[in-house]
């Protein structure tokens, strides 16, 4: 399985995030995962929100404290170079948290700022230094 991230967006912004994902490339619904083709990158997208079941009560409480009511989107991606551009397009101006699946919950704005400062940054290679 390729790496995954979870986009945890404020409920009021969720539909906008989903609309941006669907408009970010060639988007096709699938039986289990939807497919988003963007240039040479293919993403698998799960809009069901079922990934929330994998979070414990403490994590849910932290996310709720940081963004309020939220919805989740699971994205499987081929590499950070691919996900970087997608995140810039779909999360800009939206309040939410990126779960890197590497032990960090990072605010969208901090992720985008980090990519601007350090285009080669890869959250999989160590601590981000920001939340």
């Amino acid at each position: 399985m390729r790496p995954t991230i979870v986009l945890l967006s404020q409920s009021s912004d969720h539909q906008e995030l989903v609309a941006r994902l669907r408009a970010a490339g060639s988007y096709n619904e699938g039986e289990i995962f939807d497919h988003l083709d963007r240039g040479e990158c293919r993403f698998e997208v799960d809009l069901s929100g079922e990934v929330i079941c994998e979070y414990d009560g403490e994590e849910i409480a932290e996310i709720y404290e940081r963004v309020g009511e939220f919805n989740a989107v699971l994205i499987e991606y081929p590499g950070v170079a691919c996900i970087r551009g997608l995140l810039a397009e779909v999360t800009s101006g939206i309040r939410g948290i990126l779960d890197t699946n590497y032990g960090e919950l990072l605010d969208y704005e901090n992720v985008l700022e980090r990519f601007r400062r350090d285009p080669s940054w890869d959250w999989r290679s160590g601590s981000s230094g920001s939340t």
Side-chain angles (χ1 to χ4, degrees):
M1 184 169 164
R2 299 183 309 167
T4 60
I5 58 168
V6 180
L7 301 178
L8 302 153
S9 299
Q10 194 170 50
S11 292
S12 61
D13 288 334
H14 181 70
Q15 290 303 342
E16 176 65 21
L17 178 80
V18 169
R20 289 180 186 184
L21 275 170
R22 288 186 169 144
S26 175
Y27 193 94
N28 297 293
E29 293 184 9
E31 286 186 40
I32 298 173
F33 283 99
D34 295 346
H35 307 282
L36 171 62
D37 292 312
R38 189 177 152 88
E40 306 236 343
C41 302
R42 172 167 266 202
F43 304 91
E44 308 295 325
V45 181
D46 178 6
L47 300 175
S48 73
E50 291 177 10
V51 70
I52 292 173
C53 295
E54 296 180 19
Y55 290 84
D56 65 31
E58 213 172 276
E59 291 169 316
I60 296 287
E62 178 184 349
I63 297 163
Y64 185 82
E65 182 179 311
R66 289 171 61 182
V67 296
E69 291 290 329
F70 65 93
N71 295 89
V73 174
L74 174 70
I75 300 176
E76 184 180 286
Y77 61 98
V80 172
C82 286
I83 197 71
R84 181 181 302 119
L86 182 65
L87 288 174
E89 188 168 331
V90 303
T91 65
S92 182
I94 291 181
R95 187 167 175 224
I97 295 171
L98 168 72
D99 179 350
T100 65
N101 281 328
Y102 283 83
E104 295 183 289
L105 298 173
L106 307 172
D107 292 330
Y108 292 164
E109 62 189 44
N110 291 341
V111 171
L112 298 178
E113 176 58 32
R114 181 68 187 261
F115 279 139
R116 281 190 285 276
R117 281 192 334 239
D118 182 4
S120 63
W121 173 57
D122 183 342
W123 54 73
R124 299 171 304 171
S125 63
S127 176
S128 69
S130 64
T131 57

